[in-house]
Amino acid sequence: MDLLRDNELIYGRLLPVEEPHLIERYNKALVAFGLKPTALKSFEIDRTGFSPQVAEELGDYQHLDPNEVNRRFIILTPSQQDLPVVHTAFSNTSQLVYEFFAKNARAIDALTIKDVIYGEIEDSVSRVEDIEDLLSINQVEFRVLSAEDVLGKASELGRLVDRLKQEPDAWRDDRMLDRMVELAKVTGDIRENALVPDQVIFRHNAYWTSHFGGLYVFVDPDITTVISDPAAPGFRRSRPWQVSYLSIRDADRVFRFLASTGRIELPRASWLETSGYLEHRAEMAIRNLIREAEPKRDLREVDKVWLQTWIHSNAAEIASEGTFPFLNAAKREIAQYGQLKLEEVFPLHRFLVVRAKPDHPDAWLTNRLISDFVPSDFISRYIFNKQGFYKDYEGWPELWRAHVVDTLKTTYLRDEAGYRARLYGLVD
């Protein structure tokens, strides 16, 4: 993974923590979790406070995610809100933490001036053993603590203020007034500093989870759909009256589900001809064929002329594999008729010519699912399915790894937002 780390393709855009007082606060949170404090003089953190350097030092990359449920978090600064989440068992962890920051900005701003915020994203289960455990999670609650108990002291001061207002003789209680002064020295004026989070409960909607080899949950008004390996415990047995189960290996049924629920943009000239989507898929397919045919070929130096020559020289193999000819035929049909008749298309090929509907709430999750059916498109895998991408990467030879990194650097990383907008219609 060193090549990925050197090129910021893993653990990139994290926040450096170097100031002694912030490291001390971070250690207080670690100790509160029952972990050893870090001896590092500097490290980096993501939106949740996860640090790859601290994880490596502890020898435990799950230290903030025990049992891959009830995720722990450490907040040192409000600026964590704009960071990525680089280690999680649930795809919606990033969004949930972002919403927590957004809904409680004033409290987080005030608290992190003096203290570290830490806690757990609690749900209804402590361990996931079957699909029923996942389906029982309807909402999560941020259990919020602070090392110096500023939160607790602010709550106590608030109660005493209410008592002072409501009890006519409370102002005569010198011990209570002294306690209020003592608390205010820590919390400041709680009328001005909102130290208690306003919202800590959030809905747990559609998501992907790493449990059972990777499982998707999509939520619609009348039914919930689970897409996973049929070997997952509880598959087709948990809540069959309200849950539809689809095998991740059944491309036809998965595609029909995405289409019937309006989660995908079908192949139309209106977006395909301006996005370059089919051309992108075709190039990814050809590069993957070259990798399989010539594993020792260094693709970092090839250009479009070389690629065209290789295509002509290997026409029989390309025709036999089928992806490239299909994409060319699809492009011709769309240019002529403005659309493509998908009912005549091989199920796996259908995923080559669709993308998530950009304005759908599940757009990122849907693009992630599509990428599972098009593993040759490593750029889409990297953007939407980093866990899948990193797993793929581990099995690649060094030359192909170098090519993938070089391609990502010269395409997606040059303008991430622009690339997502052009190819997938997603606007940040």
Side-chain angles (χ1 to χ4, degrees):
M1 294 288 181
D2 289 344
L3 184 61
L4 292 177
R5 188 175 301 202
D6 292 344
N7 288 276
E8 295 190 334
L9 289 168
I10 187 171
Y11 305 143
R13 297 194 304 108
L14 301 186
L15 180 71
V17 178
E18 300 169 331
E19 297 85 347
H21 74 285
L22 291 181
I23 295 174
E24 181 183 0
R25 291 179 184 178
Y26 191 88
N27 275 333
K28 288 180 178 179
L30 290 178
V31 171
F33 288 137
L35 301 169
K36 290 177 59 177
T38 179
L40 298 173
K41 300 302 180 184
S42 68
F43 50 88
E44 297 172 309
I45 59 173
D46 72 356
R47 182 180 295 168
T48 68
F50 171 81
S51 168
Q53 294 85 8
V54 172
E56 189 170 335
E57 179 190 30
L58 292 173
D60 181 9
Y61 278 78
Q62 306 286 21
H63 66 286
L64 293 188
D65 206 9
N67 300 323
E68 296 184 313
V69 69
N70 293 324
R71 173 60 181 264
R72 295 167 172 173
F73 59 88
I74 301 174
I75 300 174
L76 294 175
T77 167
S79 61
Q80 285 175 233
Q81 178 177 354
D82 298 321
L83 302 177
V85 172
V86 299
H87 186 81
T88 179
F90 287 85
S91 63
N92 60 349
T93 298
S94 179
Q95 184 61 30
L96 289 169
V97 177
Y98 183 88
E99 290 179 15
F100 176 75
F101 272 95
K103 296 294 185 181
N104 301 289
R106 286 187 62 204
I108 292 171
D109 287 349
L111 279 167
T112 51
I113 292 174
K114 300 180 178 181
D115 208 349
V116 57
I117 304 170
Y118 66 93
E120 293 184 356
I121 307 175
E122 291 188 333
D123 50 51
S124 55
V125 300
S126 58
R127 186 180 294 273
V128 173
E129 296 181 343
D130 57 28
I131 291 177
E132 174 60 32
D133 292 328
L134 294 172
L135 295 177
S136 69
I137 305 172
N138 298 313
Q139 65 184 28
V140 299
E141 180 174 355
F142 283 71
R143 185 167 67 87
V144 185
L145 303 168
S146 59
E148 303 301 329
D149 196 28
V150 174
L151 275 168
K153 291 171 181 175
S155 296
E156 182 183 354
L157 180 56
R159 290 193 297 271
L160 294 179
V161 169
D162 288 341
R163 182 183 168 193
L164 189 65
K165 290 178 179 179
Q166 295 168 9
E167 297 179 13
D169 295 328
W171 63 274
R172 299 179 184 275
D173 188 338
D174 290 337
R175 288 182 60 189
M176 186 188 82
L177 296 177
D178 289 342
R179 178 59 176 165
M180 291 177 68
V181 171
E182 181 183 343
L183 292 170
K185 289 178 181 179
V186 176
T187 66
D189 188 342
I190 60 172
R191 295 171 302 177
E192 302 294 331
N193 300 325
L195 293 176
V196 180
D198 295 320
Q199 182 175 343
V200 296
I201 297 176
F202 298 89
R203 289 288 303 168
H204 187 76
N205 293 317
Y207 61 88
W208 169 91
T209 176
S210 60
H211 292 280
F212 315 128
L215 180 146
Y216 291 85
V217 174
F218 289 92
V219 181
D220 291 297
D222 300 321
I223 196 165
T224 295
T225 301
V226 169
I227 302 174
S228 73
D229 188 320
F235 189 86
R236 291 203 179 101
R237 294 193 301 276
S238 180
R239 308 187 191 191
W241 62 90
Q242 65 177 187
V243 178
S244 172
Y245 291 89
L246 301 178
S247 168
I248 192 71
R249 296 191 289 270
D250 192 337
D252 181 52
R253 291 193 65 197
V254 171
F255 184 87
R256 291 179 185 277
F257 160 73
L258 294 177
S260 65
T261 55
R263 286 181 165 87
I264 54 175
E265 282 197 311
L266 298 175
R268 301 282 188 268
S270 56
W271 67 271
L272 282 171
E273 291 183 348
T274 57
S275 66
Y277 195 76
L278 294 184
E279 293 81 359
H280 164 76
R281 291 291 211 199
E283 184 173 340
M284 291 289 99
I286 287 297
R287 290 176 182 267
N288 189 59
L289 284 173
I290 296 171
R291 175 179 69 88
E292 293 176 349
E294 303 180 34
K296 295 184 179 180
R297 169 74 63 179
D298 188 348
L299 288 173
R300 288 174 296 178
E301 303 301 325
V302 306
D303 55 22
K304 291 186 179 297
V305 174
W306 188 92
L307 285 174
Q308 284 299 321
T309 302
W310 193 91
I311 291 170
H312 293 313
S313 302
N314 296 270
E317 292 82 357
I318 292 171
S320 176
E321 194 275 337
T323 301
F324 189 72
F326 162 71
L327 288 168
N328 281 336
K331 187 175 179 181
R332 289 193 299 269
E333 185 172 332
I334 290 167
Q336 184 174 0
Y337 301 108
Q339 60 184 0
L340 183 65
K341 294 180 179 179
L342 286 173
E343 61 271 14
E344 300 173 2
V345 174
F346 180 60
L348 272 177
H349 282 170
R350 296 173 194 166
F351 290 93
L352 291 163
V353 295
V354 298
R355 68 183 183 184
K357 191 169 288 185
D359 60 355
H360 196 284
D362 296 340
W364 278 74
L365 185 65
T366 300
N367 277 324
R368 181 187 190 118
L369 177 57
I370 291 171
S371 80
D372 277 338
F373 291 93
V374 192
S376 62
D377 186 352
F378 58 78
I379 294 181
S380 291
R381 296 278 278 177
Y382 179 78
I383 297 172
F384 300 109
N385 188 357
K386 285 188 172 56
Q387 287 93 338
F389 172 85
Y390 295 139
K391 185 177 180 180
D392 295 343
Y393 183 91
E394 290 177 356
W396 291 334
E398 291 301 322
L399 280 175
W400 183 249
R401 289 180 178 181
H403 167 64
V404 168
V405 168
D406 186 62
T407 302
L408 287 169
K409 285 172 58 180
T410 57
T411 55
Y412 179 59
L413 292 189
R414 278 188 175 178
D415 180 9
E416 296 180 19
Y419 195 93
R420 291 193 296 266
R422 177 176 63 84
L423 219 57
Y424 308 102
L426 298 172
V427 179
D428 293 344

